[in-house]
Structures are given as C-alpha cells and as structure tokens.
Amino acid sequence: MRMGPAELVQAAAMARRFYLEGKSKIQIAEEFGVSRFKVARVLETALERDLVRIEIRVPAELDAERSDALRARYGLRHAVVVESPTSVDEVEDSPDPENLGEVAADLLGELVTEGDVLGLAWGRSTIHMAAALDQLPPCTVVQLTGVYDAGTAERGSVEAVRRAAQVSGGEAHPIYAPMLLPDPATAAALRNQTGIARAFEYFDKVTVAAVSIGSWEPGISTVHDMLSDEERAHYASLGVAAEMSAHLFDAEGRRVGRDLGERCITVEADRLRRIPEVVAIAGGQRKAAAIDAVLRSGLVTSLVTDTAAADQLLVRGATPHPALDRADPDGG
C-alpha cells in the first residue's frame, strides 16, 4: 500500500531515532505514543519501501562475504580474505601476496593481549607480517622454528622476532640455527644448546602463534627446497600435499613423513595443537590445496588468505570443523 505524507514523515523520524540515534523501540514508542509493535512494523516498512538503506562497508581490500563463508566452512575462529593482485600473472605465480602480511599484522594487533607469548614460525608471509607490525601490547616473542638458511637470519625469522619484540616492548627469544639439519643427532645436539633450549622452554607458554603454509613444490615450500631430489621423491611418494613449520601433511590433513621432524628445529605438532590461537598466513591459487590440507589438520584456528585461494577453498568437498575442536585426523 502507498504511504501517505504523514506516514512517510513518521517512518523517517522513527528510523532516524532507531538507526542513527540508537534509541530502543520502547523509547520510540513512548515518544510517539504508539506500541513498540507499531514501531517494529513501521521500521520494517521503512526498509521495504527503501526509506532506509543499510550499507555494510569494510575497507576495499577486505572481502567480508568470502571471509565469513570460509570461517563457517572450516569452523575457523577468524578468517580474513583480502583481494588478490589484479594481474593474472601475479595471481598465478605469487606464492603469497605481500598484502597478506599487512592484514595479518593488524589481526595480531587485535588478538594479542598484554602478557601473551607470541610465537613466530619461519616463512615469507610471517616475515612480511613482522615488518608491517606497528603496534602490539607488551608481550614476549619467541621463534618457533629454525631459519631457512642461518646466513639469512638478519633478514629472516630472527629479525622478525626482534621486530615484533621491539614493537611490543617485550622480550625476544630467537633461535640461531637452521631449520633442517643433516641428521637427528645433530638436531638433538642443537636443541640442547643453551639459547635454543631456552626458546623451546617457551613453546608451552605460547598463547598466539603465526605460521606459514607451503605447497609441496619448488619455490612454494621452504622444506621442499632444502631437501635432495631423492628425499623429495620419497616424501612425495607418501602423499605429502602441504608443509607447515617442517611438518608434512597429506590431502586429508594427516601428518606424513614424521621422521623429517627429527632432523628439524621446530615446534612439535602436539604443542602447536595446544596453542589457543594459531594464525596461518597463506594465499594464491597454487597454495589452495595446501591450505585446505593444513586446515583439516586441526592445528590452525584462524586464517589470513586472499580471494584467489578462498575461491578454490570454497568449492572443495565437505569439510569437518577442525579449528573449533582442534581435531586430529589421525585420531591422536
């Protein structure tokens, strides 16, 4: 039915009180001398007749719809999807768009509270994130993995830990050691060194962690690039689809090639599962399958990714909700 001028004016006034001034329906009803049910009907009519337009706006680089869909699909605590680069070549070839690090830095600013222990694993995306940090509450920062190459520590994980600690004003506990060692004995000896052992002591105290995800292919997985051709072939034969902090996963999120961990300086998977908030930062079409595998592992609670990866993840098969219950697909 057509609304007369008096009805239009009244509807506009009630809508202004409700949407702009924050008054309750009861308060509006008392002001206009009508029932709160009449106010509810008028507000509903105002929406239907386009007197009121509700617009939900987020920064242009964030995709709120995909973010919410991804969060619900995997049972994530937080999912933040950013726009992928506009260039097709960039979308297909970039292992991790650099803007993921900037958004992840802002997310950490929300998640970390005073007194927390923040853990950072090696990865290009976590390094970009640390470089973008501009505020953090006072917290302790600990390195969760060794570095890709000990010679690059100053521009890698060690520097990321120092940067985060500098921003927060807290203590830094870096690990001056390679991620992958030649054999388990060498790795065990390094873990017992004073500085590394001190960092490991903080692993059980970590409350928020940031990790990267790699696909099992050259240039997209740090671990893949550190291994010999024979070793790569061996782990590929086990069905490895993804890597995170030197832990390998098949397409269903089950851990494979566990012997590799014995040669690595890294946080154990069981310890990762006990960390209340584990934020994975990974994007790009080439990483979509790897992200899906790691999300199924139950080790990750939140994700920062891009639209290119999100579109692939949202059309994959049915998924459980591992992030909500931290379920281990191996049943352990």
Side-chain angles (χ1 to χ4, degrees), residues 127-201:
I127 291 170
H128 289 152
M129 178 205 68
L133 285 171
D134 58 12
Q135 61 177 2
L136 273 179
C139 65
T140 298
V141 186
V142 59
Q143 194 169 324
L144 296 178
T145 64
V147 297
Y148 174 47
D149 180 346
T152 64
E154 286 303 315
R155 59 180 181 276
S157 300
V158 171
E159 182 55 33
V161 169
R162 288 175 174 166
R163 166 66 181 167
Q166 180 185 34
V167 171
S168 74
E171 296 180 5
H173 294 276
I175 293 178
Y176 297 96
M179 182 188 294
L180 180 67
L181 283 303
D183 53 70
T186 304
L190 274 178
R191 291 189 201 103
N192 289 326
Q193 287 190 357
T194 303
I196 297 175
R198 186 177 299 117
F200 267 64
E201 289 174 359

Side-chain angles (χ1 to χ4, degrees), residues 45-233:
T45 301
L47 285 172
E48 292 173 351
R49 300 298 175 87
D50 212 22
L51 288 177
V52 174
R53 296 182 183 181
I54 298 176
E55 184 177 10
I56 300 172
R57 302 182 65 182
V58 296
E61 70 271 15
L62 299 182
D63 192 308
E65 186 174 349
R66 285 184 176 94
S67 297
D68 188 56
L70 204 58
R71 178 201 56 77
R73 185 176 186 83
Y74 286 93
L76 293 162
R77 191 168 294 131
H78 304 284
V80 181
V81 178
V82 305
E83 289 292 337
S84 300
T86 54
S87 165
V88 174
D89 291 337
E90 286 184 83
V91 170
E92 293 180 347
D93 297 336
S94 175
D96 277 319
E98 290 194 17
N99 60 342
L100 293 186
E102 297 172 5
V103 174
D106 289 340
L107 179 61
L108 277 195
E110 289 184 64
L111 300 180
V112 176
T113 59
E114 184 172 351
D116 275 345
V117 177
L118 172 62
L120 300 181
W122 196 97
R124 298 177 185 89
S125 55
T126 52
I127 291 170
H128 289 152
M129 178 205 68
L133 285 171
D134 58 12
Q135 61 177 2
L136 273 179
C139 65
T140 298
V141 186
V142 59
Q143 194 169 324
L144 296 178
T145 64
V147 297
Y148 174 47
D149 180 346
T152 64
E154 286 303 315
R155 59 180 181 276
S157 300
V158 171
E159 182 55 33
V161 169
R162 288 175 174 166
R163 166 66 181 167
Q166 180 185 34
V167 171
S168 74
E171 296 180 5
H173 294 276
I175 293 178
Y176 297 96
M179 182 188 294
L180 180 67
L181 283 303
D183 53 70
T186 304
L190 274 178
R191 291 189 201 103
N192 289 326
Q193 287 190 357
T194 303
I196 297 175
R198 186 177 299 117
F200 267 64
E201 289 174 359
Y202 275 91
F203 286 0
D204 286 329
K205 303 175 184 177
V206 174
T207 50
V208 180
V211 300
S212 297
I213 295 173
S215 302
W216 198 245
E217 56 180 306
I220 310 296
S221 164
T222 300
V223 173
H224 179 282
D225 292 346
M226 287 191 286
L227 297 174
S228 67
D229 290 341
E230 183 179 354
E231 289 170 325
R232 292 169 189 158

Side-chain angles (χ1 to χ4, degrees), residues 282-301:
Q285 292 180 2
R286 294 172 64 184
K287 279 195 177 181
I291 296 169
D292 176 68
V294 172
L295 292 183
R296 291 171 182 269
S297 74
L299 295 174
V300 169
T301 60

